[in-house]
Each structure stands twice: as structure tokens, then as C-alpha cells.
């Protein structure tokens, strides 16, 4: 090999030139090639996925189910009413309100004037009145009178409605010997269905 400084031939294993003293070979540290810095692969920073709102679960339609249950209950109740009533069931819209006993009524309106549930033995007439409402034409109203003290059926009287809303009146006239002392009652029916029971007494 030759010295890189003076160009004189020198042995191959000589580190310093014997002619000029210049270093002829670089040290191992100098010979070792410098390693390129290791490159770390680029990593994309973490990005959180955008929040997606979950769709609302469809609500169960419970209204139809409840309606079906109610309808079923009504059908069962109707069947029971038919069985108990011997196969007949009244669906009339008519009803009795303002029912009262009285010793006197208005002759035009049939409304009670002197309401009372206590009468004397010599009372001329005992009245039972009520207001019939929402009555279809020819609605049947029945009054059944009872002498409760002796368990006696006194009378049963029927009448038919003439108006949708009207007062109805039933009366019991004094016997020749006067009304027996004791407890009484009168049952008022609408189309053979018991609507109201009125109790009264004679003293």
C-alpha cells in the first residue's frame, strides 16, 4: 500500500508511515461506517370514532293489547249477565234519578213536593217519584210495593215512558181502615231491571 500523505510504499499492516509519520490507516472506530439513525415508522395519532347515537328501540304497542283485554272482560261480563238473567240482558240507556217518597206531588210535572219517608196511618196517598232520563220510546217502568213488616206483596204497577226525560210517579191509596203501621218499600224497575229501592214507614 502507499502512504496517502507522502505516496511512499509502506507495508500493508502499517498504521503509521515510516517515512513521514502520517497515519496510513484509519482506526477501526473511524473505519466503521456510521449507521444511519433508525427511522421509526410514522404512526397516525389515535382518533376516536365519532359517537353514533343508537336508534331508539321501537316501543311495544301495548294500547291494542289493553284494548283487547278490556273487550274480552266486557264480553265475559255480558255472558255472565245473560246466564244469571236467564238468557236476557237489558242494554237500555234509560236510568232513574232523584227518586223520593212524598205525601204530595206537582200534578203537572209529577215532581215530589213534600218529600218524606214517614207517613201516618190516615195519609190519603203515598207517592213514589223519580226522574227518568235518556229513555228510548216506550221504556217500561215498574213499581213494586211491599209491606215489609208482614212480608206482603201489595201491588205491582207498570207504565211506559212518553218522553226522553220525564218524571214518573206511582201512588198507593189509603185502605178503608188506614195504612197498617210498619215498614214498607217500593222497588222501581227500568225494563224489568231493578233501578232503585225506596224505604218508608207508617207510624
Amino acid at each position: 500500500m502507499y502512504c496517502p500523505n507522502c505516496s511512499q510504499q509502506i507495508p500493508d499492516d502499517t498504521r503509521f508511515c515510516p517515512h513521514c509519520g502520517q497515519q496510513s490507516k484509519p482506526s477501526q472506530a473511524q473505519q466503521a461506517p456510521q449507521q444511519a439513525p433508525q427511522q421509526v415508522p410514522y404512526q397516525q395519532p389515535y382518533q376516536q370514532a365519532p359517537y353514533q347515537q343508537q336508534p331508539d328501540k321501537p316501543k311495544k304497542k301495548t294500547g291494542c293489547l289493553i284494548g283487547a283485554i278490556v273487550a274480552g272482560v266486557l264480553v265475559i261480563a255480558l255472558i255472565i249477565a245473560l246466564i244469571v238473567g236467564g238468557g236476557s240482558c237489558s242494554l237500555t240507556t234509560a236510568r232513574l234519578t232523584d227518586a223520593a217518597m212524598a205525601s204530595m206531588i206537582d200534578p203537572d210535572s209529577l215532581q215530589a213536593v213534600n218529600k218524606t219517608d214517614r207517613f201516618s196511618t190516615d195519609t190519603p196517598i203515598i207517592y213514589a217519584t223519580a226522574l227518568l232520563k235518556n229513555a228510548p220510546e216506550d221504556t217500561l217502568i215498574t213499581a213494586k210495593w211491599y209491606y215489609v213488616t208482614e212480608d206482603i206483596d201489595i201491588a205491582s204497577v207498570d207504565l211506559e215512558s212518553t218522553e226522553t226525560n220525564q218524571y214518573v210517579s206511582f201512588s198507593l191509596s189509603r185502605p178503608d181502615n188506614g195504612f197498617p203501621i210498619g215498614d214498607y218499600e217500593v222497588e222501581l224497575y227500568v225494563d224489568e231491571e231493578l233501578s232503585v229501592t225506596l224505604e218508608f214507614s207508617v207510624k
Side-chain angles (χ1 to χ4, degrees):
M1 62 174 292
Y2 293 90
C3 174
N5 184 43
C6 63
S7 301
Q8 296 293 327
Q9 187 174 4
I10 58 177
D12 293 339
D13 57 352
T14 302
R15 293 183 61 189
F16 295 93
C17 177
H19 301 286
C20 65
Q22 183 68 29
Q23 186 177 1
S24 60
K25 283 187 176 181
S27 65
Q28 293 182 355
Q30 292 176 341
Q31 291 180 354
Q34 294 183 354
Q35 296 182 354
Q38 185 177 2
Q39 294 183 354
V40 179
Y42 173 75
Q43 295 181 353
Q44 185 176 3
Y46 171 75
Q47 293 182 353
Q48 184 177 4
Y51 173 75
Q52 295 182 354
Q53 184 176 3
Q54 297 295 328
D56 295 336
K57 294 183 179 179
K59 296 182 179 179
K60 296 182 178 179
K61 297 181 179 180
T62 58
C64 295
L65 178 60
I66 295 175
I69 294 174
V70 172
V73 171
L74 291 177
V75 171
I76 294 173
L78 180 59
I79 293 174
I80 294 174
L82 288 172
I83 295 174
V84 174
S88 63
C89 181
S90 175
L91 299 177
T92 181
T93 58
R95 59 191 179 93
L96 293 174
T97 63
D98 195 25
M101 301 302 301
S103 60
M104 184 180 298
I105 63 171
D106 185 303
D108 296 324
S109 66
L110 304 182
Q111 188 173 359
V113 176
N114 293 332
K115 294 182 180 181
T116 180
D117 58 0
R118 293 186 179 184
F119 302 89
S120 63
T121 57
D122 59 351
T123 299
I125 301 177
I126 297 176
Y127 295 94
T129 67
L131 176 59
L132 178 65
K133 302 185 70 174
N134 301 325
E137 186 178 358
D138 298 331
T139 298
L140 180 65
I141 313 300
T142 303
K144 296 182 179 181
W145 299 82
Y146 300 97
Y147 180 36
V148 178
T149 300
E150 298 291 339
D151 194 19
I152 297 175
D153 295 346
I154 301 174
S156 179
V157 181
D158 296 331
L159 63 82
E160 292 183 350
S161 64
T162 58
E163 300 178 12
T164 302
N165 299 307
Q166 67 178 100
Y167 274 94
V168 294
S169 174
F170 300 90
S171 62
L172 195 63
S173 298
R174 181 185 62 188
D176 293 339
N177 296 327
F179 287 107
I181 294 175
D183 296 324
Y184 297 75
E185 68 179 27
V186 56
E187 294 177 344
L188 301 180
Y189 293 77
V190 177
D191 286 338
E192 300 182 355
E193 293 291 331
L194 180 61
S195 177
V196 62
T197 298
L198 297 171
E199 298 178 349
F200 63 97
S201 61
V202 175
K203 303 294 184 182

